[in-house]
Amino acid sequence: KNQVEQSPQSLIILEGKNCTLQCNYTVSPFSNLRWYKQDTGRGPVSLTIMTFSENTKSNGRYTATLDADTKQSSLHITASQLSDSASYICVVSASYNTDKLIFGTGTRLQVFP
Amino acid sequence: NAGVTQTPKFRVLKTGQSMTLLCAQDMNHEYMYWYRQDPGMGLRLIHYSVGEGTTAKGEVPDGYNVSRLKKQNFLLGLESAAPSQTSVYFCASKVGMGSYNEQFFGPGTRLTVL
C-alpha cells in the first residue's frame, strides 16, 4: 500500500534554532516528492520538489534532501523564525498516475520566542 | 491575480441539508481538484477535473458530486450532508498534465455537519 509517514507529529523549538523533519514513503513507482508548508487556516504552499535524480533542493532557509534508495526525505529549517510555525506536509507522486498525490499527515512545528 | 479562491469560508449544516462549495481560479489552469482534510489524516482526493466539462472520481467520492461547466470554476456538491462530511475542504488547480506541475491550493472551507 502506498503510504507517506512523517515524524515527529509535532515539534516545539526556540526562535533561531535549526530543526529537521522526516518523511518516509513506500510509494512505488516513484515520480517526485514535494514539501508543502501549511499555515493555520490556509491552504498548503509548495516549498520544494525533487525528482528521482535530485538529492537536495533549497528554498531560502529550507533545505530538502531525498534518498530514493531508502525512500526517505528530510526538510531542514535553518535559523527558525516565528513565521515558520506551521504544518509541513510531505507529498509523494507515483509515476503510474501523475494526478494522484499521496499526502503525509504532516509535522506541526511551533517556534517560540 | 487572486489565484485559487473558495466560497464560503465557513458553513454549518444540519444532517440531510444540501450545499455547494465554489472554487474559482484565475490562472487559466486545466486541472482542478477537490480534497478533504481531516485531523490525523493526509489530504484525500474527492473528485478532480482535467478540463472544462470533465470530472473524475478520486479516493473518497461517495456522497459528493462535482461539475466543471466553466474552465475557471469547479463546484463541489453535497446532496444530503452527513456528520462524517464534517471536514476542511480544499480546492486546488494546476496548469496541466505532469506530476511535476505544482498544485496551487485555495484557502479552504471549514464545514460542520450537525
Side-chain angles (χ1 to χ4, degrees):
Chain A
K1 181 180 179 182
N2 288 329
Q3 283 187 317
V4 176
E5 296 183 348
Q6 294 186 241
S7 62
Q9 280 190 330
S10 61
L11 183 62
I12 298 174
I13 62 174
L14 293 177
E15 187 178 16
K17 299 296 185 183
N18 303 335
C19 67
T20 300
L21 315 179
Q22 301 290 342
C23 173
N24 296 335
Y25 61 93
T26 58
V27 178
S28 183
F30 172 86
S31 176
N32 58 69
L33 184 148
R34 199 184 287 271
W35 283 92
Y36 278 92
K37 178 186 180 188
Q38 184 177 19
D39 292 315
T40 301
R42 307 290 293 272
V45 175
S46 179
L47 293 173
T48 64
I49 181 171
M50 289 178 292
T51 61
F52 184 89
S53 59
E54 297 172 295
N55 56 23
T56 187
K57 185 75 71 78
S58 290
N59 178 358
R61 294 179 296 102
Y62 301 101
T63 299
T65 64
L66 173 65
D67 186 334
D69 291 331
T70 61
K71 299 186 178 181
Q72 295 180 324
S73 177
S74 65
L75 181 68
H76 185 75
I77 304 175
T78 304
S80 61
Q81 300 177 358
L82 298 180
S83 59
D84 292 330
S85 294
S87 287
Y88 292 85
I89 304 173
C90 176
V91 185
V92 179
S93 176
S95 58
Y96 66 85
N97 183 336
T98 58
D99 280 309
K100 179 164 176 60
L101 303 180
I102 298 99
F103 289 79
T105 56
T107 292
R108 174 72 180 159
L109 175 65
Q110 294 178 274
V111 181
F112 285 97
Chain B
N1 217 354
V4 180
T5 58
Q6 294 182 232
T7 53
K9 287 185 170 52
F10 303 94
R11 185 72 185 268
V12 178
L13 291 179
K14 295 181 179 178
T15 297
Q17 288 185 318
S18 63
M19 77 162 294
T20 300
L21 283 67
L22 170 64
C23 175
Q25 52 94 6
D26 61 2
M27 297 177 282
N28 201 34
H29 284 175
E30 289 292 333
Y31 285 36
M32 296 187 74
Y33 308 82
W34 276 107
Y35 293 92
R36 60 178 289 172
Q37 186 176 41
D38 300 296
M41 301 183 74
L43 274 79
R44 292 181 292 169
L45 182 64
I46 304 171
H47 285 281
Y48 65 100
S49 168
V50 300
E52 181 179 316
T54 74
T55 62
K57 294 181 179 180
E59 181 185 355
V60 288
D62 294 342
Y64 306 94
N65 57 76
V66 288
S67 64
R68 183 100 181 267
L69 298 179
K70 293 183 178 181
K71 184 177 184 178
Q72 63 268 33
N73 295 337
F74 195 28
L75 305 179
L76 178 70
L78 286 73
E79 290 187 347
S80 179
S84 60
Q85 295 177 303
T86 293
S87 187
V88 181
Y89 292 86
F90 288 98
C91 176
S93 71
K94 73 174 184 177
V95 62
M97 188 174 68
S99 62
Y100 202 85
N101 291 320
E102 179 182 349
Q103 289 190 23
F104 292 86
F105 286 83
T109 294
R110 183 173 294 275
L111 175 66
T112 301
V113 183
L114 302 176

